[in-house]
Every structure is written in C-alpha cells, then in structure tokens.
Amino acid sequence: MMTVRLASPFRLHGKEAIKWCLFTRVKYFSCKKHLWMTGYAASSRYYSGQANVDDGTDLSKIRNIGIMAHIDAGKTTTTERMLYYSGSTRHMGDVDDGDTVTDYMPQERERGITITSAAVTFFWAGCRMNLIDTPGHVDFTVEVERALRVLDGAVAVFDASAGVEAQTLTVWRQADRYKIPRLAFLNKMDKAKASFDMSVSSIQDKLHATPLLIQLPIGHYQDFVGIIDIVTLETITWTPNKAADGKNYTRTPLSKDSGSAIWDRAVEARNKLVDQLADLDDEFADLILSMEEYDPLTVSSTQIESAIRRVTLSQSAVPVLCGSALKNKGVQLLMDAIATYLPSPNERHHDFLQLYNNELCAYAFKIIHDKQRGPLVFLRIYSGTLKPQTSIYNANRNCTERISRLLGVFADDFRELRSLSAGNIAVAVGLKETITGDTILGSTSVLNAAKRRLKRQQKHEGKKGEDQVPVLAGLDVPEPVFFCTIEAPSQAYQPALDHALDCLQREDPSLKVKVDPDTGQTILSGMGELHLEIIHDRIKQEYKLETDLGPLQISYRETTAGSAVESATIDKIIVGRHHQVTVTVEVEPMADKESPSKLTVAENVTVLPEFIEALQSGAESAFQQGPLISFPVLGTSVTIMDVKIVPGTSTAMVAACTSQSIHSALKAAGVQILEPTMNVEITTDDEGMQLVLYDLSRRRADVSNIETRQDTRVVIARTPLSEMLGYATALRSLTSGRATCSLEFSNYELMNQAEQTKAIERITGFY
C-alpha cells in the first residue's frame, strides 16, 4: 500500500493517497520539500509493510554503527546518501529542504539540525547495517551517550575545513569510554578552505589517536574529483556532472603511467601505511619479516585489509577516509569500509553475557511516545531471541511486563516482526514500566541463574559473594545547568501538562522536572537554552498546550567555606505525642569541591537502624537545598557527632532536625557559591578577532589558546555560563555574522565575593 506523508502527522493511504496526488498534481516520488512518498516498501525488501520473520542474517554480517560528529559536519547528509545508495530510499533527502529520513521531527526540519538519535537498517556488501544517526549539538549529548552505549562501531565525521571541533572531542571521549572502534570520515572535501592534512593533524594532536591514511583526495575545493585508494592502489573518480547522483564511478589501477604526482603520493602513502601497520600489528610485522624482498607495493590488499581490521578492532589506530557527502563522492567507499573494518556483535566482548548463556538479555536505550501505540522502547538484543506476545522480566524495576508487538525501525516508520535474534536493534510495544537503562531478561529464573553464576565466579576469583543483581550498566546523565519555570494556560490544563512532562522525562533522561515546595511552580531543568526551547516547542506541537516559560536561570551549587560544629533541637507535642530530638553535626570542606556531599556517623553515636535512615534522609534533604540560595550542596563532608532522641519521637522529626542542624553548621562555617563554567570555541576571521577578544574580556573569560586554521582564527576560552546567555546571537551581531561559536560544560568553580553578591541579588532580589 502506498502512503503519502505530509510535514504534519496527517497521512493518507491507498486510493486516497493517489487521489490526493492527482488533485494536487504531484507526481510520485517528486516532492522534495514537506512531502515525500514512503517508497521503502517498493525499494527495499526490508520495508514491505508485512509481518516478517527475522531474516536470519549471520551474526558476523551484522554491523551496529553510529554516526557521530560536531554539529554541521554532515552526519545526516552522509546517512541520507547511505540509505540512497543501499536502495532503501528512492531519492536523496536534503537537510535544507527538510526531507531527510532520520531528521523526522518538525523541530529538526525547521532548524536543520539533528535533535534526537534515529535508527535505520539497510543492507550493503552482504551486511545488515543497523545505523544510528546522532545529534551534534552539545545540548543533546545524552542522545549520543545512549546510542554509543549499544553500538559496536562508529563513524566520526569531520568537517575537512575545521578538523577536530569542540563537540568532536566530547563524542570521541564518549566513544573511548565504551571502547568503540571507529573510522574517521573527512567530509566536505569540496568546501573552500578544506584541508586534508590539517584535519589529519588535528585528529593526531587533539584526539591523541593514530590516523591510518587509507585514502587521499584528488583535487582541492571545487576541483575535488576523486580519491586515491592506498590499500588497492587505485583511483576512484566521479563524473563532474552536477546532476549525477554519485552511484556511478570509475576505478582505475594506479601505475607509473598514471601521472607522476598521483603515483608519487600513492607510493609515499602506501609505504607509510605498511610501516604503521607493521608497528601496530605483530601478525603483519611477521608477514613483512618473512618476505624475501621487502617492497610495500607488493603486499597484497587482502593482507593490508586484514591488518587494518585488526588494529581497528584493537583501537590501536583509526582508518581515515575522505569525501563529500553533499556532492555524492566517497560515501560508497565509506560503506565498504564499515563492512570491512568495523566489528560484528560477536567480535565485541561483553563480560556479562557469559552469565546469561543464550537466554534473552536486552538493554533499553531509548523511549519515544506514539499517540497510537503508546511507549515505544528501543532495545539492543545481546543474547537470545525476542518475540512479540511474550512476557519479559525487567531486572532493574523488578517487574514482569508483556511485549504486545515487536517492530523493526526505520527512523519514524515501523514494520511488524515475528522475532529478532541477538545482535540486532528492535522496538517493543507494551512496556509500561521500562525506562532508559533497564536490563530486559526472559524471566526471573534467568536472573536467578545469572546470580548463581556470578556468585560462583566471585568465589573462584576470591571475591566476597555479595548478592548483586547482574544488570547492564545504566546511563551516565550529566546534571542540568539551566532551569526555568513552566506554567499551564490555566489550572484546568495542569493535569495535561503533568502528563506531557512525564512522557518527555521518560523519553529524555537529561530533562528534570520538579515542583518548587515554596511557590508550587513547576521547574524544568535541562542541558541548555536550545534543549529547553525544544521541550517547550514539543509541548506546544505534540500535546497542544500553550504553556509559558519563565526566564532562563543558571543552576548554581553551594559549598562550605570552612568547618563548624552546630546543634539543632526539635521539641514539639503533636496530637498528644511528645517529640524531642537533638542532633549535633560537624561540617568540613572536601578536597574536591565538585564531588557529592557525604554523611558519616561518628563511631560513638549509637541509634536504632530506623533512625540511621532518618539521619540520612535529613542530610539528603539538606544537600538538595543549601541555606544560601537553595541550590544543591557539593564538596561538603558532614559528620553526626551526637544524637539525643526521646522515646516516642518519630523518624520524620529526626530527619527534620538533622536537616536543620546541617544548615546551621553551613551558615556558621560560611557558604560559597559554585558557578558552572563553559569551554568556548569561537571561529572568526582576522577582522573580527579583536572584537571577539574584547567581548570575551568583558565576560570574565580566560582565553587559553588562539589557533590558526588557514585564514581563520579559533579562540579557545573558558568562561562562566552566566556570562554566555544569548551569546550566539550577540556574537553574530558583533561580527556581522562572520563568527561562530560552540559551548560545552566544563566544571563548577568558586565565585569571587563580588560576583557572588551580584548573583544572590539577582536570584533573591536582596542580599
């Protein structure tokens, strides 16, 4: 059945779709803006619209990969070309036209950026590619984090005119954390100021990675016409015809007759590549040493490919490719490299899998809400087989749920599946309790068996056999640095707003919602201005609520300036019951001001277990809201020195007294404010350089470096977040649109007394 989709959620099906096309004089597959035909059914066996059994792809032929990069490096365009060349789509979408497959949200299409990670599946070179296109904006770093958590390999896309940028460093560190092998794709080689050598140097210097040059560009800027393949010693060229879609290209074996310049570059690069591989891979070194006459040009491409694959999987080096996704050059070679060099699921070692044998074990890494289907839970299956109409056990929530339907995913389109095996990514319908980071198992018996195996393993290793739940590691979500109030249009719409926020919180772990206990206002906390703006827009468009956002505010922290010992007493009679408790605490600063505050109970203090929990609850309450400006308290060590409790006193009174005593001690010791600081990277020309530096000095910035990239300047600085609100707009006005910037959270730092006084006046209205 043919489907017509508009930019809005409205859809037409079958004959109605055909009538609509005829009425509006639209030809099939001809619309490129705000309208497209879902030709996946006709162009790919993957999306046939029918219920399908798992196609039984060999595990070694599956590639779970992610596309990661700084914003505007060309991730989505590269993904779009992959889908087109694999036959999954009939035309190549364009970010500017708003008709790409993976940027399907209205907010993404309006702004031309990726906001949420999108999963697609296609087939290439005999491999099943499960690909996730991730955002490049710093506000949506959590989307990259949870995607990398379930992937086996990644492609890092670089803007060849900029090299390594601020967000590139962030996503690279995230990939390092999960030990993910990756390829580097130098995109936009046709762009003015693109520099292959500069980009490779930045990978080596800033990412501290070892680049393996397996391709070299032919031509520069607009004259970029092809690629030299160092492995096969061939040139790959594309027709200069602008209307060409890039499907057809010419491979020509290199020889001395190919031209002295190209031949010399290829020979030099081949010699360097073979030398690098011999240094990095022992097996390849033995092969070279066994050659009677060493000549890098006589080493077979198969042997070189095998060596590149081994060093890629061991993360000893990063193969570097180049091309221009927008100009349809080099993407097919990148897809070949993904199939050749990146790992399959069975080549990735996961310690926990041996605990589950071949039983079902899956990880919930993403949730979206669908108005018809309800919550859609994205699962990476690590072992076993997943089927619809079966019960599963959530090891984190300790509950059993039922999967009503199992869906294959293609961005925002889905198809029914009858089963899906290990190594794949699927969407489960019907899971009401599952959230991001949960471990899904076949049953409670599977969990119990895994616990027994873990205990035996710990006993064999000489470790204490603690009663641990063998679940997969959860998601590392950074604390939000921005917050604002949100109000429903009237009290009658408050339940609808609460429901919308509940759904959005479940989808987005970096979004925090709380109710201020003093004012009763709902407070949104997020990762940045754009993040909260998107949330507000989604509430308006998806839930039809015209909400009001309060002014954006900075999420400060409080810490103690010194040490103090204080006591607090509560003595009350409530409903004829006498409650009396006295708590004495000592507060001390910790060496690390950013570490979470901690509570310890002195050895001479003896209280009942239920009162220990009350002391901890009171301390947590005090840590959540400091005494100065009601922000969380960090870097403070609290010791309970003495507790006196009259029999009959409730635990709630003990908790309240503990919180009061901690606040009293903090006030006596002195409270300092910690403010969030940001890493800032500004790219400008010589003319705007002085203006940028002068403006940064007004914003309390600490400029650490000024780099030169051809005829542009890159200013690297660190500055307080409070000085950077609306900076992107101010920078454009200051430099007449010639400069761009990117910001990334760095750390919390102490404010000086003058700035602290200003902050308190700004927050409270008085000092």
Side-chain angles (χ1 to χ4, degrees), residues 403-421:
I403 296 177
S404 59
R405 299 166 66 190
L406 188 65
L407 306 175
V409 59
F410 194 88
D412 61 337
D413 280 288
F414 305 92
R415 62 148 182 151
E416 296 283 348
L417 295 175
R418 294 190 189 136
S419 67
L420 202 62
S421 58

PDB file of all heavy atoms in Angstrom, residues 403-421:
ATOM      1  N   ILE A 403       5.353  -7.912  26.078  1.00  0.00           N
ATOM      2  CA  ILE A 403       5.564  -7.254  24.789  1.00  0.00           C
ATOM      3  C   ILE A 403       4.401  -7.629  23.874  1.00  0.00           C
ATOM      4  O   ILE A 403       4.235  -8.793  23.511  1.00  0.00           O
ATOM      5  CB  ILE A 403       6.900  -7.691  24.159  1.00  0.00           C
ATOM      6  CG1 ILE A 403       8.070  -7.241  25.029  1.00  0.00           C
ATOM      7  CG2 ILE A 403       7.041  -7.126  22.758  1.00  0.00           C
ATOM      8  CD1 ILE A 403       9.422  -7.681  24.517  1.00  0.00           C
ATOM      9  N   SER A 404       3.589  -6.643  23.508  1.00  0.00           N
ATOM     10  CA  SER A 404       2.428  -6.930  22.662  1.00  0.00           C
ATOM     11  C   SER A 404       2.827  -7.033  21.190  1.00  0.00           C
ATOM     12  O   SER A 404       2.320  -7.869  20.455  1.00  0.00           O
ATOM     13  CB  SER A 404       1.358  -5.855  22.849  1.00  0.00           C
ATOM     14  OG  SER A 404       1.881  -4.575  22.516  1.00  0.00           O
ATOM     15  N   ARG A 405       3.761  -6.147  20.773  1.00  0.00           N
ATOM     16  CA  ARG A 405       4.204  -6.151  19.378  1.00  0.00           C
ATOM     17  C   ARG A 405       5.709  -5.904  19.334  1.00  0.00           C
ATOM     18  O   ARG A 405       6.266  -5.225  20.196  1.00  0.00           O
ATOM     19  CB  ARG A 405       3.475  -5.068  18.576  1.00  0.00           C
ATOM     20  CG  ARG A 405       1.967  -5.228  18.532  1.00  0.00           C
ATOM     21  CD  ARG A 405       1.295  -3.967  18.018  1.00  0.00           C
ATOM     22  NE  ARG A 405       1.616  -3.688  16.625  1.00  0.00           N
ATOM     23  CZ  ARG A 405       1.308  -2.543  16.012  1.00  0.00           C
ATOM     24  NH1 ARG A 405       0.702  -1.579  16.672  1.00  0.00           N
ATOM     25  NH2 ARG A 405       1.620  -2.360  14.753  1.00  0.00           N
ATOM     26  N   LEU A 406       6.324  -6.434  18.299  1.00  0.00           N
ATOM     27  CA  LEU A 406       7.753  -6.228  18.062  1.00  0.00           C
ATOM     28  C   LEU A 406       7.903  -5.587  16.691  1.00  0.00           C
ATOM     29  O   LEU A 406       7.360  -6.095  15.709  1.00  0.00           O
ATOM     30  CB  LEU A 406       8.513  -7.557  18.133  1.00  0.00           C
ATOM     31  CG  LEU A 406      10.040  -7.469  18.103  1.00  0.00           C
ATOM     32  CD1 LEU A 406      10.558  -6.766  19.349  1.00  0.00           C
ATOM     33  CD2 LEU A 406      10.648  -8.871  18.004  1.00  0.00           C
ATOM     34  N   LEU A 407       8.628  -4.471  16.639  1.00  0.00           N
ATOM     35  CA  LEU A 407       8.702  -3.688  15.411  1.00  0.00           C
ATOM     36  C   LEU A 407      10.149  -3.496  14.962  1.00  0.00           C
ATOM     37  O   LEU A 407      11.046  -3.296  15.788  1.00  0.00           O
ATOM     38  CB  LEU A 407       8.066  -2.308  15.617  1.00  0.00           C
ATOM     39  CG  LEU A 407       6.632  -2.264  16.148  1.00  0.00           C
ATOM     40  CD1 LEU A 407       6.211  -0.826  16.412  1.00  0.00           C
ATOM     41  CD2 LEU A 407       5.673  -2.920  15.169  1.00  0.00           C
ATOM     42  N   GLY A 408      10.347  -3.561  13.658  1.00  0.00           N
ATOM     43  CA  GLY A 408      11.592  -3.099  13.066  1.00  0.00           C
ATOM     44  C   GLY A 408      11.485  -1.604  12.861  1.00  0.00           C
ATOM     45  O   GLY A 408      10.393  -1.063  12.675  1.00  0.00           O
ATOM     46  N   VAL A 409      12.605  -0.901  12.899  1.00  0.00           N
ATOM     47  CA  VAL A 409      12.558   0.561  12.897  1.00  0.00           C
ATOM     48  C   VAL A 409      13.326   1.122  11.711  1.00  0.00           C
ATOM     49  O   VAL A 409      14.399   0.634  11.349  1.00  0.00           O
ATOM     50  CB  VAL A 409      13.112   1.127  14.228  1.00  0.00           C
ATOM     51  CG1 VAL A 409      14.550   0.680  14.449  1.00  0.00           C
ATOM     52  CG2 VAL A 409      13.043   2.643  14.253  1.00  0.00           C
ATOM     53  N   PHE A 410      12.745   2.131  11.092  1.00  0.00           N
ATOM     54  CA  PHE A 410      13.368   2.879  10.011  1.00  0.00           C
ATOM     55  C   PHE A 410      13.037   4.341  10.241  1.00  0.00           C
ATOM     56  O   PHE A 410      12.059   4.866   9.702  1.00  0.00           O
ATOM     57  CB  PHE A 410      12.850   2.400   8.657  1.00  0.00           C
ATOM     58  CG  PHE A 410      13.670   2.862   7.488  1.00  0.00           C
ATOM     59  CD1 PHE A 410      14.748   2.115   7.052  1.00  0.00           C
ATOM     60  CD2 PHE A 410      13.370   4.041   6.831  1.00  0.00           C
ATOM     61  CE1 PHE A 410      15.502   2.534   5.960  1.00  0.00           C
ATOM     62  CE2 PHE A 410      14.113   4.471   5.743  1.00  0.00           C
ATOM     63  CZ  PHE A 410      15.187   3.709   5.309  1.00  0.00           C
ATOM     64  N   ALA A 411      13.837   4.992  11.145  1.00  0.00           N
ATOM     65  CA  ALA A 411      13.563   6.365  11.589  1.00  0.00           C
ATOM     66  C   ALA A 411      12.205   6.405  12.295  1.00  0.00           C
ATOM     67  O   ALA A 411      12.058   5.829  13.362  1.00  0.00           O
ATOM     68  CB  ALA A 411      13.654   7.345  10.438  1.00  0.00           C
ATOM     69  N   ASP A 412      11.179   7.033  11.689  1.00  0.00           N
ATOM     70  CA  ASP A 412       9.867   7.089  12.331  1.00  0.00           C
ATOM     71  C   ASP A 412       8.866   6.150  11.670  1.00  0.00           C
ATOM     72  O   ASP A 412       7.662   6.277  11.880  1.00  0.00           O
ATOM     73  CB  ASP A 412       9.321   8.519  12.318  1.00  0.00           C
ATOM     74  CG  ASP A 412       9.135   9.059  10.908  1.00  0.00           C
ATOM     75  OD1 ASP A 412       9.808   8.544   9.993  1.00  0.00           O
ATOM     76  OD2 ASP A 412       8.328   9.989  10.719  1.00  0.00           O
ATOM     77  N   ASP A 413       9.338   5.199  10.866  1.00  0.00           N
ATOM     78  CA  ASP A 413       8.478   4.178  10.269  1.00  0.00           C
ATOM     79  C   ASP A 413       8.807   2.828  10.876  1.00  0.00           C
ATOM     80  O   ASP A 413       9.967   2.549  11.188  1.00  0.00           O
ATOM     81  CB  ASP A 413       8.669   4.125   8.751  1.00  0.00           C
ATOM     82  CG  ASP A 413       7.898   5.226   8.046  1.00  0.00           C
ATOM     83  OD1 ASP A 413       6.662   5.122   7.991  1.00  0.00           O
ATOM     84  OD2 ASP A 413       8.535   6.186   7.585  1.00  0.00           O
ATOM     85  N   PHE A 414       7.794   2.007  11.024  1.00  0.00           N
ATOM     86  CA  PHE A 414       7.967   0.724  11.705  1.00  0.00           C
ATOM     87  C   PHE A 414       7.304  -0.382  10.909  1.00  0.00           C
ATOM     88  O   PHE A 414       6.356  -0.155  10.164  1.00  0.00           O
ATOM     89  CB  PHE A 414       7.361   0.787  13.116  1.00  0.00           C
ATOM     90  CG  PHE A 414       7.910   1.909  13.954  1.00  0.00           C
ATOM     91  CD1 PHE A 414       7.283   3.146  13.991  1.00  0.00           C
ATOM     92  CD2 PHE A 414       9.070   1.737  14.694  1.00  0.00           C
ATOM     93  CE1 PHE A 414       7.789   4.189  14.743  1.00  0.00           C
ATOM     94  CE2 PHE A 414       9.591   2.766  15.453  1.00  0.00           C
ATOM     95  CZ  PHE A 414       8.953   3.990  15.484  1.00  0.00           C
ATOM     96  N   ARG A 415       7.791  -1.604  11.102  1.00  0.00           N
ATOM     97  CA  ARG A 415       7.168  -2.769  10.483  1.00  0.00           C
ATOM     98  C   ARG A 415       7.106  -3.887  11.512  1.00  0.00           C
ATOM     99  O   ARG A 415       7.904  -3.975  12.439  1.00  0.00           O
ATOM    100  CB  ARG A 415       7.970  -3.232   9.277  1.00  0.00           C
ATOM    101  CG  ARG A 415       9.376  -3.672   9.648  1.00  0.00           C
ATOM    102  CD  ARG A 415       9.887  -4.782   8.756  1.00  0.00           C
ATOM    103  NE  ARG A 415      11.204  -5.206   9.163  1.00  0.00           N
ATOM    104  CZ  ARG A 415      11.674  -6.419   8.991  1.00  0.00           C
ATOM    105  NH1 ARG A 415      10.925  -7.351   8.442  1.00  0.00           N
ATOM    106  NH2 ARG A 415      12.889  -6.734   9.368  1.00  0.00           N
ATOM    107  N   GLU A 416       6.125  -4.737  11.350  1.00  0.00           N
ATOM    108  CA  GLU A 416       5.921  -5.839  12.288  1.00  0.00           C
ATOM    109  C   GLU A 416       7.008  -6.902  12.119  1.00  0.00           C
ATOM    110  O   GLU A 416       7.417  -7.227  11.008  1.00  0.00           O
ATOM    111  CB  GLU A 416       4.554  -6.483  12.046  1.00  0.00           C
ATOM    112  CG  GLU A 416       3.372  -5.560  12.324  1.00  0.00           C
ATOM    113  CD  GLU A 416       3.093  -5.398  13.800  1.00  0.00           C
ATOM    114  OE1 GLU A 416       3.661  -6.171  14.607  1.00  0.00           O
ATOM    115  OE2 GLU A 416       2.310  -4.504  14.151  1.00  0.00           O
ATOM    116  N   LEU A 417       7.451  -7.452  13.242  1.00  0.00           N
ATOM    117  CA  LEU A 417       8.407  -8.562  13.248  1.00  0.00           C
ATOM    118  C   LEU A 417       7.822  -9.709  14.054  1.00  0.00           C
ATOM    119  O   LEU A 417       7.123  -9.494  15.045  1.00  0.00           O
ATOM    120  CB  LEU A 417       9.742  -8.130  13.876  1.00  0.00           C
ATOM    121  CG  LEU A 417      10.566  -7.056  13.160  1.00  0.00           C
ATOM    122  CD1 LEU A 417      11.772  -6.689  14.011  1.00  0.00           C
ATOM    123  CD2 LEU A 417      11.024  -7.559  11.804  1.00  0.00           C
ATOM    124  N   ARG A 418       8.121 -10.922  13.625  1.00  0.00           N
ATOM    125  CA  ARG A 418       7.689 -12.093  14.393  1.00  0.00           C
ATOM    126  C   ARG A 418       8.755 -12.540  15.375  1.00  0.00           C
ATOM    127  O   ARG A 418       8.459 -13.222  16.353  1.00  0.00           O
ATOM    128  CB  ARG A 418       7.341 -13.235  13.439  1.00  0.00           C
ATOM    129  CG  ARG A 418       6.125 -12.942  12.582  1.00  0.00           C
ATOM    130  CD  ARG A 418       5.671 -14.180  11.833  1.00  0.00           C
ATOM    131  NE  ARG A 418       4.633 -13.826  10.867  1.00  0.00           N
ATOM    132  CZ  ARG A 418       4.601 -14.276   9.637  1.00  0.00           C
ATOM    133  NH1 ARG A 418       5.540 -15.092   9.206  1.00  0.00           N
ATOM    134  NH2 ARG A 418       3.632 -13.922   8.817  1.00  0.00           N
ATOM    135  N   SER A 419      10.003 -12.150  15.126  1.00  0.00           N
ATOM    136  CA  SER A 419      11.092 -12.466  16.052  1.00  0.00           C
ATOM    137  C   SER A 419      12.320 -11.683  15.617  1.00  0.00           C
ATOM    138  O   SER A 419      12.402 -11.219  14.479  1.00  0.00           O
ATOM    139  CB  SER A 419      11.402 -13.968  16.060  1.00  0.00           C
ATOM    140  OG  SER A 419      11.942 -14.371  14.809  1.00  0.00           O
ATOM    141  N   LEU A 420      13.248 -11.540  16.534  1.00  0.00           N
ATOM    142  CA  LEU A 420      14.517 -10.890  16.219  1.00  0.00           C
ATOM    143  C   LEU A 420      15.595 -11.488  17.117  1.00  0.00           C
ATOM    144  O   LEU A 420      15.379 -11.671  18.326  1.00  0.00           O
ATOM    145  CB  LEU A 420      14.433  -9.376  16.426  1.00  0.00           C
ATOM    146  CG  LEU A 420      15.474  -8.554  15.649  1.00  0.00           C
ATOM    147  CD1 LEU A 420      15.286  -8.738  14.138  1.00  0.00           C
ATOM    148  CD2 LEU A 420      15.369  -7.080  15.995  1.00  0.00           C
ATOM    149  N   SER A 421      16.729 -11.784  16.512  1.00  0.00           N
ATOM    150  CA  SER A 421      17.782 -12.506  17.221  1.00  0.00           C
ATOM    151  C   SER A 421      18.832 -11.556  17.783  1.00  0.00           C
ATOM    152  O   SER A 421      18.788 -10.342  17.568  1.00  0.00           O
ATOM    153  CB  SER A 421      18.434 -13.518  16.279  1.00  0.00           C
ATOM    154  OG  SER A 421      18.959 -12.862  15.137  1.00  0.00           O
TER     155      SER A 421
END
